[in-house]
Amino acid sequence: MTDRSASAAGDVVDEHGTGLLVTTVTALPGGRHRWHRRPGPACPAPFHPLTAPSRALVPHTADSRGTRAATGEAAPDGSREYTAPGPYSLAHVLMAGGGPHAAPGGLQAVERILHGTGALLASLHRQPVTPEARRPSRGIARLHAWLSGATAAGGADAVALLGPAAVAPLTAWAAEAVTQADTHVLSHGAPGLGSLVPSPAGDRAVLLTGEDICAAPRHLDVGWLTGELVELRWLLGRAADPGAWQALVDAFLDGYGGGAASGGDHGRGAALRVALHAHDSAAYVAQGKGPAALYGVLAARLTAEAAS
């Protein structure tokens, strides 16, 4: 259980939020940090409940590379609390430092963390799908509703944002992901760089797990993280070292068992992830239309590559 009395006495070291997700990070004794996450005021669906049977299937760790799952605890208001070794996510570390070379421990430390994350997800995917986990990813359900015209993203039209050539394949891939099938595996549901928290030294990390456990094609989790790595590299532009960023993708895929282990379709998962980022920026971020247009350009490019 999270030590609520200690966390209440700690200092808030970071707080950020959108209409979709609000995060508060509090320093705890002993160098630990409490991560408190709750759905934002415009979030269309609450966190998936993490039942005891599903929680028991989440691997604690899958290799010796220093990444483990943190399943946290549910709070009565629908939020979730985790204990983590650091105050900032890997996404923050990579963007604030300008890339993996500036991260604590340097490129090799980030590679170890991502290799361990790949191994952790592969281990999770080998577990049986519990009956209560037979539900779609909250994120892909959100994307599918938008692509199929059932919802609007703050007035941002999917065709205008992603381009007409990208909408049809993305809609088909999203429909495949939200329709339950026997081939789907027990999935994290949103294993993003924002949920991966390294220690300040970069020697270990936790993957916050417990808000989106679902059943999905295995390439969805794999593509989610590779898509975010490609996206961050793209945002950094000429400041990014292409070799270093590719090394991160390779380390993650190697930890998972290789690209073929994901069914060979993680490119589809990456395109879906970046398209979802375009949607979420338009729908839940103040002044998010500009960033959404940028993500739309990248999503269209990734979709074309994955569909070819």
Side-chain angles (χ1 to χ4, degrees):
M1 292 286 292
T2 302
D3 186 344
R4 291 174 181 274
S5 60
S7 64
D11 296 326
V12 173
V13 296
D14 194 25
E15 192 166 27
H16 49 86
T18 67
L20 186 66
L21 178 69
V22 178
T23 302
T24 303
V25 182
T26 305
L28 299 177
R32 300 169 302 143
H33 291 80
R34 180 186 69 133
W35 281 63
H36 179 272
R37 289 161 47 110
R38 68 179 188 277
C43 185
F47 291 160
H48 284 328
L50 183 63
T51 61
S54 292
R55 182 172 185 156
L57 294 174
V58 176
H60 179 67
T61 185
D63 71 1
S64 58
R65 299 295 182 112
T67 302
R68 65 179 180 81
T71 49
E73 298 292 340
D77 63 354
S79 62
R80 201 158 187 88
E81 293 182 355
Y82 309 87
T83 300
Y88 300 112
S89 70
L90 187 59
H92 174 91
V93 168
L94 290 172
M95 286 300 289
H101 291 299
L107 173 62
Q108 290 186 337
V110 183
E111 286 182 293
R112 284 196 298 272
I113 288 171
L114 290 172
H115 188 281
T117 305
L120 189 65
L121 291 175
S123 182
L124 177 65
H125 292 177
R126 289 192 290 270
Q127 306 303 314
V129 179
T130 55
E132 62 269 26
R134 292 193 180 280
R135 57 199 174 200
S137 154
R138 290 190 307 139
I140 299 304
R142 216 163 52 238
L143 179 63
H144 181 255
W146 180 52
L147 292 169
S148 59
T151 61
D157 180 76
V159 173
L161 208 55
L162 303 169
V167 171
L170 284 169
T171 304
W173 299 339
E176 176 194 22
V178 299
T179 302
Q180 290 302 295
D182 291 341
T183 54
H184 287 186
V185 297
L186 188 67
S187 299
H188 181 285
L193 298 171
S195 299
L196 195 52
V197 186
S199 66
D203 57 343
R204 65 188 191 284
V206 300
L207 178 63
L208 308 183
T209 305
E211 301 161 13
D212 294 280
I213 290 289
C214 63
R218 64 180 67 245
H219 65 254
L220 193 63
D221 274 354
V222 179
W224 193 288
L225 207 146
T226 57
E228 291 197 350
L229 288 170
V230 170
E231 182 183 286
L232 287 190
R233 171 187 165 184
W234 187 72
L235 290 173
L236 288 172
R238 293 183 178 178
D241 175 349
W245 284 92
Q246 186 58 49
L248 299 187
V249 173
D250 292 344
F252 170 69
L253 291 176
D254 185 58
Y256 188 80
S262 71
D265 288 330
H266 62 273
R268 294 184 178 185
L272 287 168
R273 173 59 189 132
V274 178
L276 177 61
H277 214 161
H279 167 273
D280 289 349
S281 294
Y284 304 117
V285 179
Q287 308 299 321
K289 297 290 174 49
L294 287 176
Y295 295 133
V297 171
L298 179 59
R301 183 186 304 174
L302 294 177
T303 301
E305 292 174 359
S308 63

